[in-house]
Amino acid sequence: MKSYANPVFEYRRSPDQREGAPARHPVVVVGAGPVGLCTAIDLAANGTPVVVLDDDQTVSVGSRAVCYAKRTLEILDRLGCGQPVVDRGISWSRGRVFLLEREVFGFDLLPETGHARPAFVNLQQYHFEEVLVARAAQLPLLDLRWRNRVTALEPGADGVDLTVQTPDGPYRLRADWLVAADGARSPVRHLMGLESRGQVFHDRFLIADVLMKLDHPTERWFWFDPPFHPGQSVLLHRQADNVWRVDFQLGWDADPEEEKKPERVLPRLRAMLGDREFELEWVSVYTFQCRRMDRFRHGRVLFAGDSAHQVSPFGARGANSGIQDADALAWRLAAVVAGHAGEAALDAWAHEREAAADENILNSTRSTDFITPKSATARAFRDATLALAAHHPFARRLVNSGRLSVPATVDASPANTPEDEGFGAPAMRPGAPSTDAPLATPAGAPAWWLSRIGGRFDLLLFDDGLPPERSAAAIDALAAALRAERAPAWALHLVLPPDPRRAAAIAEHLSAPAGAPVSMLLDPDRLLGQRCDARPGTTYLLRPDQHVCARWRSARPDAIAAAMRRALGAGPEPVAHAAAPALVSQA
Amino acid sequence: MSARLNLEPALARPDDFYEALIAAHRDLTDAQSLALNCRLVLVLANHVGDLDVLLEALRVAREADAAPG
């Protein structure tokens, strides 16, 4: 490749490789891809030591996953490495769909303003992983071991015994918890004799990464049956470094080895790009499957990302959903390790992410069925839809060139507390990741809402409009009640109208006890208020992964404490007494 | 409650409709006729709009083929 050379990360001998009893670690992650690294960074950044084992010594070979969704960027922001991904990548939110030579319609994935991050950033997976590796290197609690391959494992009731092969020979490790983020062919899954099952699609696609200067808007372009590739579809994405991803549908009969040869690839590209100068960077021919494991938790082993579930690439739901797995897992694992949560929290995680995988597989399968119709009749309906879409808006909504990744709202999660009656703002219902909105500090500094929360429980209180001494007393009472909980860290955010005098008046009456983080934010455009359907006193409880787990019309300290315990996987009893967890997943 | 599929006679001039339907296919190949039928289904489905009614229509249409007589 002209535009990129893979770094080589050195193998280092670990003290764990000394003779003697195997070293014991609270969490071991297998796989230093996007999902494994996000899990490990989240754990280490928030105080839980973690070992990461990877059988290779570099980042992704080839650009592979290139589209990172807004939610992924928000998760990376929380992990302290969103900005370099946005800086290196290409931000976009618009797409166009073509039939033959004609544009059928365009779409905008983020039509409203007031969000810190764009709908998508395109970036080669190797760049993305480099950012994560650099972030991991900043964390003293994160021990990343290259050329460490798991060759055997023995799951037990209170941990997993691992045999790890290295250039210095094998050694043994004991993990209290093992996260298998080791990809679609997951060696851990195979070692445990487990399966991921589903549907194989009978089609082949050619990815050609092309280096060229092209004056083209930063948009996703998708063609059905274009003149330069008749009868098939083509997808074009811009990546960093003037690299363009062209994805040609080839059909099931294509010979994957032949199609990778430059003498086959170059004519296809010339037909599309004309006389423009370009260089071929990377070529890959792939088929795909939509499949998942029946259960993502097997005792002390947790499967996240491609090891647990796979989708077609149309919709960018692979890496993005895997990173959501990590987002939903790390805080729970940390709470279990710290003794703040029982194992039911991990069953709740599996329950959430199995449901999310089903949603992603459903969307991905529908896109694939549209792009690759399975019968002559299905093809006739597809073509009829496209023909109508050129003339009639109603048919454009049926055209499915990929339903692009949005985070799952985990409605049925055992971590959710049922909400009060009559709430609007369905996008902020329990189970949804929080919306963003532009806020300001009382001093007037701009502050994105999502940049203020995460890594702990966050309580969002909208101004109750009472006299300042009464508002302050209610906040003090809440803080006192939460301090009495044996729970992980939390913070309280009071969101006020854009009037610094109100903030000052309340602050004057707050007793602000030690260890009670209370901050005030102004909602200058009242966007957060609108997006939360806020009334005076409306209260939201957000999990450490920024998901809403409860909301009320007025804050009651006991209800908030109970919702926090529930999010941690306990029943209504305090965690310390939860001998028999009441909320075991039925998955 | 959503609307129910109407299976009672609703066409004021059934013979006129039927003639127009057949006429729309005149001179078309089988492939062209299939394409026309597909477009017609989609146009009418959008007019109906209600998913429950459409699912009921799909069921009725599919079962009519299997019915005896």
Side-chain angles (χ1 to χ4, degrees):
Chain A
M1 290 199 296
K2 274 249 160 100
S3 71
Y4 186 75
N6 273 71
V8 178
F9 302 119
E10 270 176 51
Y11 159 78
R12 285 197 188 85
R13 194 180 163 87
S14 154
D16 289 355
Q17 291 171 248
R18 285 190 298 247
E19 290 289 318
R24 181 166 188 151
H25 296 277
V27 183
V28 172
V29 174
V30 184
V35 178
L37 286 173
C38 282
T39 307
I41 290 168
D42 203 346
L43 285 164
N46 290 298
T48 305
V50 57
V51 173
V52 182
L53 307 174
D54 193 276
D55 61 0
D56 204 351
Q57 60 183 148
T58 187
V59 291
S60 167
V61 175
S63 59
R64 295 169 66 199
V66 298
C67 297
Y68 296 95
K70 177 171 181 282
R71 180 63 198 150
T72 291
L73 301 172
E74 291 163 355
I75 293 167
L76 293 189
D77 280 337
R78 188 172 65 70
L79 301 182
C81 53
Q83 197 56 43
V85 167
V86 175
D87 289 343
R88 280 200 200 187
I90 304 286
S91 296
W92 64 278
S93 71
R94 298 182 60 82
R96 293 177 198 273
V97 175
F98 298 84
L99 172 62
L100 301 167
E101 285 156 316
R102 201 156 47 145
E103 179 177 342
V104 180
F105 69 98
F107 57 84
D108 190 339
L109 296 169
L110 189 58
E112 65 177 25
T113 57
H115 296 265
R117 293 308 185 194
F120 274 90
V121 160
N122 283 0
L123 186 64
Q124 293 90 319
Q125 186 171 333
Y126 42 75
H127 284 318
F128 186 87
E129 289 182 12
E130 272 201 51
V131 169
L132 294 176
V133 170
R135 177 71 183 115
Q138 297 171 338
L139 298 167
L141 294 179
L142 198 160
D143 180 354
L144 175 49
R145 301 180 187 175
W146 302 106
R147 297 186 72 187
N148 272 240
R149 185 163 56 92
V150 175
T151 54
L153 66 85
E154 223 173 291
D158 58 354
V160 185
D161 289 311
L162 302 171
T163 305
V164 182
Q165 187 60 248
T166 74
D168 287 328
Y171 71 103
R172 290 173 62 80
L173 268 184
R174 186 164 172 82
D176 292 344
W177 298 95
L178 186 75
V179 178
D182 52 349
R185 284 186 282 269
S186 178
V188 169
R189 197 179 65 224
H190 286 291
L191 287 170
M192 292 179 68
L194 299 168
E195 272 187 290
S196 181
R197 282 180 299 202
Q199 192 181 359
V200 180
F201 289 87
H202 286 200
D203 204 345
R204 294 185 200 280
F205 292 81
L206 166 73
I207 286 180
D209 273 2
V210 176
L211 186 61
M212 65 179 166
K213 296 256 193 271
L214 180 59
D215 185 21
H216 181 283
T218 303
E219 296 174 339
R220 176 190 198 260
W221 284 27
F222 194 101
W223 288 265
F224 289 100
D225 197 13
F228 55 84
H229 192 56
Q232 307 278 20
S233 67
V234 176
L235 174 61
L236 177 68
H237 267 297
R238 183 178 184 177
Q239 307 173 50
D241 315 325
N242 290 316
V243 176
W244 296 77
R245 158 77 58 89
V246 191
D247 198 325
F248 293 98
Q249 185 182 29
L250 296 178
W252 184 235
D253 296 332
D255 179 333
E257 288 313 308
E258 282 298 307
E259 292 294 347
K260 266 189 252 183
K261 294 180 178 168
E263 61 263 36
R264 298 280 298 167
V265 178
L266 291 172
R268 293 193 190 285
L269 286 165
R270 283 202 192 94
M272 178 178 181
L273 302 169
D275 297 334
R276 192 172 283 108
E277 276 187 38
F278 64 85
E279 285 179 73
L280 205 50
E281 278 281 279
W282 181 64
V283 175
S284 169
V285 172
Y286 66 92
T287 58
F288 52 77
Q289 314 185 15
C290 284
R291 59 176 189 168
R292 77 165 173 92
M293 297 177 71
D294 290 338
R295 288 181 293 124
F296 295 176
R297 179 181 173 212
H298 287 262
R300 293 275 172 153
V301 184
L302 305 145
F303 291 87
D306 281 358
S307 71
H309 50 81
Q310 263 183 288
V311 291
S312 83
F314 299 101
R317 288 169 179 267
N320 287 302
S321 68
I323 289 166
Q324 290 162 40
D325 291 349
D327 185 41
L329 175 60
W331 66 274
R332 290 174 155 121
L333 208 41
V336 170
V337 168
H340 290 139
E343 295 188 20
L346 300 173
D347 286 325
W349 169 78
H351 183 280
E352 285 181 4
R353 298 315 302 168
E354 286 155 12
D358 285 343
E359 182 179 312
N360 285 314
I361 287 170
L362 177 68
N363 276 288
S364 176
T365 301
R366 287 172 168 178
S367 300
T368 305
D369 285 344
F370 194 88
I371 294 164
T372 306
K374 287 201 185 64
S375 67
T377 305
R379 169 121 202 165
F381 271 111
R382 200 280 299 274
D383 291 346
T385 303
L386 290 169
L388 288 167
H391 304 283
H392 304 294
F394 86 84
R396 290 169 201 163
R397 298 183 58 182
L398 295 170
V399 173
N400 191 341
S401 73
R403 299 290 184 225
L404 284 143
S405 175
V406 285
T409 294
V410 286
D411 285 303
S413 172
N416 296 343
T417 294
E419 66 182 16
D420 287 349
E421 299 264 316
F423 256 106
M428 281 292 283
R429 67 189 186 275
S434 177
T435 183
D436 204 356
L439 302 178
T441 66
W448 290 103
W449 167 239
L450 289 181
S451 77
R452 311 291 291 202
I453 62 169
R456 65 194 164 197
F457 280 92
D458 288 286
L459 201 55
L460 164 59
L461 306 178
F462 286 95
D463 189 6
D464 56 14
L466 297 174
E469 64 277 10
R470 288 182 58 198
S471 296
I475 293 162
D476 281 337
L478 248 182
L482 290 175
R483 267 201 320 283
E485 282 293 304
R486 180 171 166 262
W490 53 271
L492 203 150
H493 311 267
L494 179 63
V495 172
L496 300 167
D499 174 7
R501 284 169 304 178
R502 172 80 178 150
I506 293 175
E508 203 177 299
H509 290 93
L510 273 181
S511 64
V518 177
S519 73
M520 292 195 224
L521 292 162
L522 312 186
D523 191 5
D525 309 316
R526 301 198 188 253
L527 263 182
L528 187 63
Q530 276 172 32
R531 289 174 183 172
C532 293
D533 186 30
R535 294 181 200 158
T538 291
T539 300
Y540 278 74
L541 179 64
L542 298 129
R543 319 188 316 201
D545 59 4
Q546 300 179 333
H547 282 62
V548 178
C549 57
R551 57 178 179 175
W552 301 269
R553 282 305 182 192
S554 65
R556 301 183 308 274
D558 56 333
I560 292 168
M564 209 183 273
R565 287 196 296 269
R566 186 174 184 135
L568 286 164
E573 296 303 310
V575 170
H577 311 124
L583 289 163
V584 177
S585 142
Q586 53 275 67
Chain B
M1 280 299 287
S2 57
R4 287 187 57 89
L5 177 69
N6 181 13
L7 290 171
E8 296 304 314
L11 294 167
R13 290 150 55 203
D15 291 348
D16 288 357
F17 164 71
Y18 198 83
E19 182 190 354
L21 178 65
I22 301 305
H25 285 270
R26 192 174 302 131
D27 305 328
L28 298 186
T29 64
D30 284 353
Q32 288 168 328
S33 270
L34 173 61
L36 171 65
N37 279 338
C38 288
R39 293 195 295 270
L40 183 63
V41 166
L42 294 170
V43 166
L44 294 175
N46 182 64
H47 182 82
V48 170
D50 188 310
L51 181 62
D52 290 335
V53 174
L54 291 168
L55 294 178
E56 179 73 0
L58 286 168
R59 191 184 61 77
V60 167
R62 196 172 162 108
E63 282 176 3
D65 195 36

